[in-house]
Amino acid sequence: MNIKIPFAFAILTAALMGCSSHQPKVEKIKPNPLPKLVQAKQLVPVFSTSVSATAENDPLRLQMATDNNMLFAVDPKGTVEAFQNNKRVWATQTTKKQGLSAGVVAGQGIVVAGNQKGELFGLDQQTGQIKWTSQLSAPIIAPSHIQLGRVITVSNDGNVYAHDAQTGQQLWVYHLPSVEFSLRGQAAPIALDPNNVLVATANGYVYGIDVITGVARLQRQVSVAEGRTDVARLNDVVGDPVMMGQFLVTAGYQGQLTVNDLEQQRVVWSQDVSSSKRPEVTQKAVYATTTDGKILAYDLITGEKLWENTQLLHRNLSNPVMLGSDLVVGDLDGVLNLVDPSTGNLIGRSKTKGDITSLRVIDGQLYVSTQKGALSVWQNR
């Protein structure tokens, strides 16, 4: 049996390890207060809308997407919306009884989202009409990926599906190795190269799968499990992996931040870093946020630690992203923290509403999603 546990529960369980029956209370760790900033930079909001909130202890992987000068958003109660020039163009209810739990992604004329029942929906970008629906074997809790006319989706039981982007026909399914105990989370598939998709798993491995045939071309371990208990051995790669040229960068929960050189088939470096978020990678550096709220920077080639910021400890940090020349990290209070990527110093902040669950940079703009359903787009001044 495959047991999925929410990330917040895993943290609490780990904190309880070693406590005796005479110590039943676990004091909640207070988040660090935000430090005062002098002449703080701010971001400029360019779009905002609101959708329904998700559960505080298990926020969903809901994100915005853009394609063909349109912006697409998803509501956890089941609606997919399209905006153009900040005006709603259409809104489509996918199902009446089952909300959406993952998405949205857009490309090749369609918009794709999935739900807890394992239903995958492909909608026409221009009209919002549901072009096709497909039933998968388990809940869909990570956004899909569109490549070479295929929609690649990972269900929560470890099956990787490919569907025809236009018709929804299932073309192949690849069965990943199952694990008995893992976080309730799943990294989204990404492009490994023009012909292959990369999928990270709960057992600390990544797989490169041919988009057309469904044949695995690559298998590599990127995180090693340690510890005596099931919780202590959790090393899920739930943060999306990142490709930078020939380098594959992954971060694992209670595992390692690892850079692999896929051309030379070797590990370039690995650091003990616990993270459930996608790292940010530039041509020179790797940036990561840890489960306890540190922001770390490492040299991409050598693995040398460049700096460490501990000012935002226990603030439930989001994935870091580069917006222009600034590194941006969201937190539990909806604060977008601007960081100098060369020093790690906090240099500015802006504010939205709710625990920030997803940051994406698309065409030089910052796309923000929060647990309370505040969706917004920002840019530098």
Side-chain angles (χ1 to χ4, degrees):
M1 181 174 66
N2 189 319
I3 301 174
K4 300 284 184 178
I5 62 173
F7 174 70
F9 178 77
I11 294 292
L12 175 60
T13 306
L16 288 170
M17 291 297 174
C19 293
S20 72
S21 60
H22 301 291
Q23 296 173 313
K25 294 183 179 180
V26 178
E27 187 174 336
K28 186 177 181 180
I29 301 176
K30 294 183 179 179
N32 273 19
L34 290 172
K36 293 183 179 180
L37 300 178
V38 179
Q39 295 181 341
K41 294 178 65 174
Q42 289 186 325
L43 301 176
V44 179
V46 295
F47 171 83
S48 66
T49 189
S50 295
V51 296
S52 303
T54 61
E56 290 188 18
N57 64 343
D58 192 19
L60 303 175
R61 283 287 304 274
L62 302 176
Q63 62 185 24
M64 291 179 286
T66 182
D67 195 37
N68 292 323
N69 297 316
M70 299 180 72
L71 184 150
F72 305 96
V74 60
D75 190 300
K77 289 189 176 180
T79 303
V80 179
E81 299 175 300
F83 298 85
Q84 193 165 39
N85 299 323
N86 290 351
K87 295 182 179 180
R88 183 181 287 105
V89 179
W90 53 256
T92 300
Q93 184 73 28
T94 55
T95 61
K96 294 182 179 180
K97 296 182 179 180
Q98 190 73 34
L100 295 172
S101 56
V104 65
V105 293
Q108 301 183 9
I110 63 166
V111 185
V112 179
N115 67 19
Q116 296 273 17
K117 195 178 178 181
E119 294 174 308
L120 188 67
F121 303 95
L123 291 75
D124 185 273
Q125 285 188 9
Q126 298 300 317
T127 66
Q129 178 184 2
I130 298 177
K131 298 183 65 174
W132 52 263
T133 302
S134 184
Q135 181 64 56
L136 277 58
S137 57
I140 303 168
I141 59 175
S144 300
H145 170 72
I146 302 173
Q147 184 174 343
L148 292 180
R150 298 332 194 222
V151 177
I152 310 298
T153 310
V154 185
S155 59
N156 203 35
D157 58 356
N159 289 325
V160 185
Y161 292 86
H163 292 84
D164 184 277
Q166 300 307 314
T167 67
Q169 178 187 358
Q170 182 179 312
L171 302 174
W172 54 258
V173 58
Y174 183 86
H175 303 286
L176 296 171
S178 62
V179 296
E180 293 186 0
F181 200 64
S182 65
L183 294 177
R184 186 183 180 277
Q186 175 68 57
I190 67 166
L192 172 62
D193 56 41
N195 299 313
N196 297 279
V197 65
L198 189 75
V199 179
T201 70
N203 66 351
Y205 279 77
V206 294
Y207 294 81
I209 304 173
D210 188 291
V211 172
I212 301 299
T213 66
V215 175
R217 306 295 188 188
L218 168 75
Q219 176 183 334
R220 186 172 295 277
Q221 187 173 19
V222 294
S223 184
V224 179
E226 297 180 350
R228 298 181 179 179
T229 67
D230 288 331
V231 171
R233 287 192 297 271
L234 286 171
N235 69 330
D236 303 40
V237 182
V238 291
D240 299 344
V242 181
M243 289 297 304
M244 176 57 68
Q246 69 202 62
F247 299 111
L248 165 65
V249 185
T250 58
Y253 173 68
Q254 295 185 157
Q256 293 82 38
L257 180 66
T258 304
V259 174
N260 279 270
D261 186 328
L262 296 185
E263 286 189 1
Q264 299 185 17
Q265 298 186 8
R266 66 181 182 91
V267 176
V268 180
W269 57 263
S270 182
Q271 298 283 354
D272 289 334
V273 173
S274 178
S275 177
S276 61
K277 309 296 183 182
R278 176 190 185 274
E280 178 65 297
V281 186
T282 68
Q283 293 183 345
K284 295 183 178 180
V286 177
Y287 304 95
T289 53
T290 67
T291 53
D292 62 356
K294 298 185 185 73
I295 311 173
L296 304 171
Y298 294 91
D299 185 279
L300 174 62
I301 304 301
T302 67
E304 175 190 0
K305 183 186 285 188
L306 303 176
W307 51 259
E308 176 178 323
N309 185 307
T310 59
Q311 293 176 288
L312 304 177
L313 289 178
H314 314 299
R315 296 190 64 84
N316 195 26
L317 300 184
S318 73
N319 60 299
V321 294
M322 286 295 300
L323 180 65
S325 60
D326 299 326
L327 187 70
V328 184
V329 177
D331 69 20
L332 78 175
D333 289 326
V335 177
L336 296 164
N337 299 277
L338 277 64
V339 183
D340 184 332
S342 61
T343 64
N345 295 330
L346 294 177
I347 56 175
R349 62 175 62 109
S350 292
K351 185 77 162 62
T352 181
K353 182 181 179 182
D355 191 346
I356 295 174
T357 56
S358 171
L359 295 182
R360 304 179 75 194
V361 173
I362 306 173
D363 297 331
Q365 294 187 320
L366 178 67
Y367 288 69
V368 182
S369 303
T370 78
Q371 175 269 327
K372 288 189 176 181
L375 307 179
S376 53
V377 181
W378 306 70
Q379 64 185 23
N380 282 313
R381 287 188 181 277

